[in-house]
């Protein structure tokens, strides 16, 4: 089996009384180009924000390169308000139970012998689930919460772009990319101030310049980032994300506002950088042609829930997807 | 290699600004040793206070202008620095008289005294020890402020914009109250001033008879301030400075680029407070005493004003604005506070005409602005004439009254003028003197503007003659 880069488990994000992401589970394997699609407001950006630490999910667990990077269960007031599923999965109270309704149905069974048999089967399944949870999650059956800040996630090797471009708009194009190099530098504030880090600073600048040249942005290096045309701003945002030396790249609607020609170029560009930097790419996108042409696999969500997963052909043919999404957009 | 040229460019800029600072320093030394210090007190007061305020304003700008943290606690950190400096430098012989209300001081250690004795008590060695002790005390003043910043930074920096401003302002008031508190009197001298500590005058070089050979008091103040500002500039142009700017631009994006918000905000807060503490020590040396009540919120307000006037995010802006502000407050606008009369009728009429012209110019300016904003109808334009009309009306009234008194001048009018200047800046030049640019860039902009203006003026007269030659001449004229 191919290696998991990202593994999202039972991810639930509830804002007040609104469940934006509901029990979402997904996997992205090494070297894959995976798309996440769904109608507006389906919870795609929210899912990304949970992965990158911008939001702390209400419930769920996220693994990156086999290591748990996010883990939470409904706590405090949220424990009472919680409207999602599997509230106890990431707590010490978890006993392997999965479906309380199934258990009730067993209890209602009239025939005593049959009931005992079903019950034994149910318990065996619960035990099996418990065992597998223990195998996968070193913190299984504890209340441990793992909630890193976004900078920590970036440091681990997940970079992202934003749906509504977020550049450092009054800084130069060059500085925008150079800032991303700060995180991996070994300097401290004294050595940086007193210029004892000359070699490192030079290396950072050279790498930045190389990246800009490669992305065809070198001509604009001294321009103020906010003054670039929209398409270039998108490209700069990707360059900036690459400068953090990620292993997984999350793109939130990178082709928004682009015409078919630009969209096609963007798709080729993403595939190119994916090969060059040995990246895994996970992308939210609305342009179906882009998704269908370039992606290996597609996840479709609606109202925060996964409704379908598979190859572009399979997804295109899926009735639920057509109902929920494709029929509406096209 | 483009990366290399970029580095070279910044190196040249750094060299030029260093040379500029050195030239200013040399000028101050020359001034100090040629001008009569007793007859030109005001010049040296302005220079010293200006240098101190420049440093503190720049340190405030690091936080407010470069990191985007709206903090108003600077008077509190200056107080900490000022007191720390005084407490560790008052000679033990003077402690008794300074702390007479509290029967002496709890701390009986003075860095300058300690090093002076260590290096032989009197003569050149003693003087050198004295200076070394003073410099160490200044650094300690900064460290004390930085330590307190580290402590309060944890809870306070979680707050967003306005709340942060309120919390830090409150912090400064609390610090002030603590230092005036009676039970701490054996350390802080309660509400009384701390004095008798070594000041800038101790940097003057004297001969055996105590005659001053070389005056260095103002230039040392300048040098310390310049060194600190230089360090802040180095920080801002380093990788950390870029991280600070990223936080100012967009916190979410900065975090996504791997910048730890809590760590970097705290770093900026601590460094800014360190230099505010150093500024507080320099301020104490400048006024020859420290008293908690001087470090009130009016002082923070002054500093904020300097930062805004100079331009948020401009170091040279803060420095220039500090000197302008101090010069206006201490020197150039002093005359506004005392009543005066015109010497002759022609002076009076000149004043009346100038005031009328000013009213007309003001009205024209306001109308022009409104028009540019798209106002066309009379109902949209008449309010712009209101202010000018009031001034003109007063002018006519004054002309008719026949009084020889200069109008307006009386105690407190200086503050009114100040407030008007500030309002004008905030309303019309919101980005301040420099915006977020530095002096060279701003000068280049100005030169380009003048060139454009000159070209505009020349074009109608030159007609279709030789535009190339004209442009060449202009470029030559600007060099
Ligand atoms: N910070 C928030 N507070 C409250 N509701 C939110 C927040 N962020 C997102 N939501 C809600 O979550 C839902 C999903 O939004 P989003 O993830 O942006 O959708 P999309 O799939 O279009 O990216 C929306 O209904 C939105 O209103
Ligand atoms: Mg979205």
């Amino acid at each position: 089996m191919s290696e998991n880069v990202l593994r999202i488990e039972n991810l639930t994000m509830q804002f007040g009384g609104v469940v934006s992401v509901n029990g979402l589970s997904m996997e992205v394997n090494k070297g894959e180009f995976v798309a996440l699609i769904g109608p507006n407001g389906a919870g795609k950006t929210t899912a990304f924000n949970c992965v990158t630490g911008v939001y702390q999910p209400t419930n769920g667990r996220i693994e990156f390169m086999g290591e748990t990077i996010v883990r939470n269960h409904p706590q405090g007031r949220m424990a009472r308000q919680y409207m999602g599923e599997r509230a106890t999965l990431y707590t010490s109270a978890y006993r392997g139970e999965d479906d309380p309704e199934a258990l009730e149905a067993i209890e209602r069974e009239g025939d005593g012998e049959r009931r005992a048999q079903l019950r034994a089967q149910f318990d065996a399944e619960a035990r099996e689930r418990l065992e597998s949870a223990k195998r996968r999650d070193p913190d299984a059956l504890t209340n441990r919460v793992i909630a890193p800040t976004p900078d920590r996630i970036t440091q681990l090797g997940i970079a992202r772009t934003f749906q509504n471009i977020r550049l450092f708009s009054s800084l130069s194009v060059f500085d925008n990319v150079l800032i991303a190099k700060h995180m991996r530098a070994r300097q401290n504030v004294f050595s940086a101030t007193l210029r004892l880090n000359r070699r490192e600073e030079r290396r950072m600048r050279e790498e930045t310049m190389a990246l800009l040249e490669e992305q065809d942005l070198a001509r604009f290096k001294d321009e103020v980032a906010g003054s670039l045309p929209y398409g270039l701003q998108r490209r700069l945002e990707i360059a900036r994300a690459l400068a953090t030396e990620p292993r997984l790249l999350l793109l939130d609607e990178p082709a928004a506002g682009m015409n078919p020609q630009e969209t096609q170029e963007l798709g080729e560009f993403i595939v190119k950088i994916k090969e060059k930097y040995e990246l895994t790419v996970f992308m939210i996108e609305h342009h179906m042609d882009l998704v269908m042409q370039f992606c290996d696999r597609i996840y479709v969500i609606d109202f925060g829930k996964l409704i379908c997963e598979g190859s572009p052909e399979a997804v295109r043919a899926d009735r639920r997807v057509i109902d929920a999404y494709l029929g509406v957009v096209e | 290699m483009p990366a290399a040229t970029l580095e070279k460019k910044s190196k040249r800029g750094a060299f030029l600004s260093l040379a500029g600072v050195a030239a200013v320093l040399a000028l101050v030394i020359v001034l100090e040793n040629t001008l009569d210090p007793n007859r030109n007190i005001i010049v040296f007061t302005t220079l010293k206070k200006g240098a101190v305020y420049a440093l503190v304003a720049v340190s405030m700008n690091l936080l407010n202008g470069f990191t985007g943290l709206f903090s108003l606690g600077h008077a509190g950190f200056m107080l900490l620095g000022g007191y720390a400096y005084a407490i560790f430098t008052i000679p033990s012989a003077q402690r008794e008289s300074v702390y007479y209300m509290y029967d002496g001081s709890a701390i009986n250690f003075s860095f300058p005294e300690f090093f002076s004795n260590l290096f032989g008590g009197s003569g050149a060695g003693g003087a050198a020890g004295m200076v070394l002790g003073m410099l160490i005390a200044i650094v300690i003043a900064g460290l004390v402020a930085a330590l307190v910043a580290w402590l309060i930074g944890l809870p306070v920096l979680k707050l967003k914009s306005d709340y942060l401003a309120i919390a830090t302002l409150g912090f400064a008031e609390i610090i002030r109250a603590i230092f005036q508190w009676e039970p701490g009197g054996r350390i802080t001298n309660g509400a009384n001033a701390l004095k008798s500590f070594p000041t800038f005058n101790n940097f003057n070089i004297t001969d055996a008879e105590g005659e001053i050979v070389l005056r260095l008091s103002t230039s040392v103040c300048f040098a310390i301030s310049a060194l600190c500002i230089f360090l802040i500039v180095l920080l801002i142009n380093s990788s950390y400075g870029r991280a600070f700017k990223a936080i100012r631009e967009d916190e979410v994006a900065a975090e996504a680029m791997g910048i730890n918000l809590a760590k970097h905000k705290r770093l900026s807060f601590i460094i800014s407070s360190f230099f505010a503490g150093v500024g507080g020590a320099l301020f104490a040396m400048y006024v020859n005493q420290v008293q908690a009540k001087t470090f009130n919120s009016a002082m923070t307000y002054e500093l904020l004003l300097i930062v805004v006037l100079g331009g948020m995010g401009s170091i040279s802006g803060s420095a220039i604005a500090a000197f302008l502000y101090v010069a206006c407050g201490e020197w150039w606008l002093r005359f506004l506070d005392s009543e005066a009369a015109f010497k002759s009728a022609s002076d009076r009429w000149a004043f009346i005409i100038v005031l009328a012209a000013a009213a007309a110019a003001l009205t024209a300016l306001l109308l022009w602005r409104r028009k540019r904003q798209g106002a066309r109808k009379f109902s949209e334009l008449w309010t712009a004439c209101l202010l000018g009309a009031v001034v003109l009306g007063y002018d006519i009234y004054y002309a008719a009254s026949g009084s020889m008194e200069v109008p307006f001048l009386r105690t407190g009018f200086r503050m009114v003028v100040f407030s008007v200047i500030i309002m004008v800046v905030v309303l019309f030049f919101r980005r301040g003197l420099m915006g977020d640019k530095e002096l060279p860039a701003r000068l280049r902009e100005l030169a380009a503007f003048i060139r454009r203006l000159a070209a505009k003026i020349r074009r109608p007269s030159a007609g279709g003659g030789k535009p190339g030659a004209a442009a060449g001449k202009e470029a030559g004229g600007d060099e």
Side-chain angles (χ1 to χ4, degrees), chain A residues 154 166 170 182 187 195 201, chain B residues 234 239 242 249-250 256 264:
Chain A
T154 309
R166 279 175 174 270
S170 73
H182 178 69
Q187 67 205 353
R195 302 291 187 267
E201 177 82 15
Chain B
L234 283 181
S239 188
R242 290 192 295 267
E249 294 289 306
D250 188 330
H264 285 83

Side-chain angles (χ1 to χ4, degrees), chain A residues 217-228:
Chain A
L217 286 166
R219 285 171 290 157
F220 308 103
K221 71 180 170 53
D222 293 324
E223 310 252 324
V224 173
S227 70
L228 289 185

Side-chain angles (χ1 to χ4, degrees), chain A residues 54 149-151 154-155 158 160 162 166-171 174-175 178-180 182-183 185 187-189 192-195 197-198 201-202 204-206 209 213 221-222 240-241 244, chain B residues 1-3 5-7 9-11 231-240 242-261 263-264 267 271 436:
Chain A
V54 175
T149 46
D151 56 281
T154 309
Q155 200 135 38
I158 302 181
R160 73 173 291 182
F162 295 89
R166 279 175 174 270
L167 290 170
F168 306 121
S169 44
S170 73
L171 302 183
F174 189 80
D175 278 352
L178 188 54
I179 281 165
H182 178 69
M183 169 186 71
Q187 67 205 353
N188 60 41
V189 69
T193 302
L194 301 176
R195 302 291 187 267
N197 62 337
R198 283 242 169 77
E201 177 82 15
R202 174 154 335 124
M204 279 159 58
R205 284 175 181 275
E206 278 167 9
M209 205 55 227
E213 259 158 23
K221 71 180 170 53
D222 293 324
R240 194 180 64 169
T244 65
Chain B
M1 193 74 210
T5 52
L6 229 132
E7 226 168 285
K9 215 159 115 194
S10 77
K11 233 176 223 165
L231 286 175
I232 296 176
V233 170
L234 283 181
L235 172 71
I236 284 172
N237 290 329
S238 80
S239 188
Y240 281 84
R242 290 192 295 267
F244 293 160
K245 286 185 216 161
I247 292 173
R248 172 192 72 188
E249 294 289 306
D250 188 330
E251 289 196 359
V252 175
E255 256 187 324
M257 290 302 107
I259 293 166
N260 186 326
L261 283 190
K263 180 184 151 195
H264 285 83
L267 195 62
I271 293 171
D436 57 1

Side-chain angles (χ1 to χ4, degrees), chain B residues 54-138:
Chain B
L55 168 58
V56 183
V58 167
S59 82
M60 191 164 180
N61 208 342
L62 171 65
L63 206 53
N64 289 267
F66 286 95
T67 320
L69 295 170
F70 193 39
S71 158
L72 296 177
H74 262 56
F77 292 112
M78 282 179 76
L79 182 153
L80 286 167
Y83 268 84
Y85 176 78
I87 288 168
F88 289 117
T89 53
I90 297 173
S92 45
Q94 257 87 56
R95 296 246 169 191
E96 199 69 38
S97 66
V98 170
Y99 285 91
Y100 74 98
M101 293 278 283
Y102 299 93
D103 305 322
S105 159
I107 298 168
N108 271 307
F109 180 77
S110 161
F111 278 102
E113 196 173 50
F114 174 77
F115 283 103
S116 179
N117 290 338
L118 197 68
F119 293 161
S122 59
M130 183 93 180
V131 166
L132 178 65
M134 286 166 74
L135 294 178
I136 288 176
I138 290 173

